[in-house]
Amino acid sequence: NETVEVELKNVVKNPTGVALLLGNKEKVFVIYVDLLMGEQIYNAFNQVRSVARPLSYQLMHHLCLGFNIELQRIVITRMDKGVFFTRIIFRQSSDNFTKVLELDARPSDAILLAMVNQKTILVAKTLFEELPDANDLIEKLTKQ
């Protein structure tokens, strides 16, 4: 399926959750996440290193490194009743084999892993075209 590349433009915290502003030159859209995951994404986005022990996404990252598994990309595939669905594509190679594994994931988990691995965030083109443009919301959210 066709995809559109986006980037995490901003992370905006509020008392009830966190707004992730994702987009490109064409459009920006919002994914709302809970406070705990939002705080982790906010810290990663702002390069804040304040945890004494690894968080779940860091554990997953280190497991992948240990088993020579590369995160290839994440794809935000669809939205149903306001809930986004994401796939993470991993690849493991050795001299004798190459395995590709595709897993369902919450967007917040997938976005954190993409950030840590400096990988592209993709959105299914049909979904991207359906999403309303939230460029006007960026200014409103960032002033709060």
Side-chain angles (χ1 to χ4, degrees), residues 62-139:
H62 292 296
L63 277 170
C64 288
L65 290 175
F67 288 102
N68 196 30
I69 299 170
E70 178 187 3
L71 186 148
Q72 295 280 288
R73 64 193 172 280
I74 71 163
V75 183
I76 302 169
T77 57
R78 65 188 179 94
M79 182 177 68
D80 185 22
K81 298 176 185 165
V83 177
F84 286 91
F85 294 81
T86 306
R87 305 286 288 172
I88 304 175
I89 296 87
F90 294 98
R91 181 174 182 212
Q92 182 181 31
S93 296
S94 77
D95 294 336
N96 301 326
F97 68 89
T98 297
K99 290 183 182 181
V100 175
L101 177 64
E102 189 172 324
L103 299 174
D104 285 320
R106 297 183 307 174
S108 53
D109 292 320
I111 289 167
L112 269 167
L113 283 173
M115 291 171 67
V116 168
N117 289 281
Q118 299 176 339
K119 295 296 181 175
T120 303
I121 300 171
L122 301 170
V123 180
K125 186 175 182 178
T126 54
L127 173 61
F128 187 75
E129 290 171 348
E130 293 171 5
L131 292 170
D133 186 6
N135 264 310
D136 58 332
L137 189 61
I138 290 175
E139 192 173 320

Side-chain angles (χ1 to χ4, degrees), residues 8 10-14 16-20 31-46 55 57 106-109 111-112 115:
L8 184 59
N10 206 341
V11 180
V12 181
K13 297 192 288 186
N14 66 52
T16 59
V18 175
L20 307 180
I31 295 179
Y32 293 98
V33 299
D34 64 71
L35 286 170
L36 179 62
M37 288 304 296
E39 186 71 28
Q40 292 174 34
I41 294 169
Y42 180 86
N43 288 342
F45 184 75
N46 292 296
L55 298 170
Y57 78 94
R106 297 183 307 174
S108 53
D109 292 320
I111 289 167
L112 269 167
M115 291 171 67

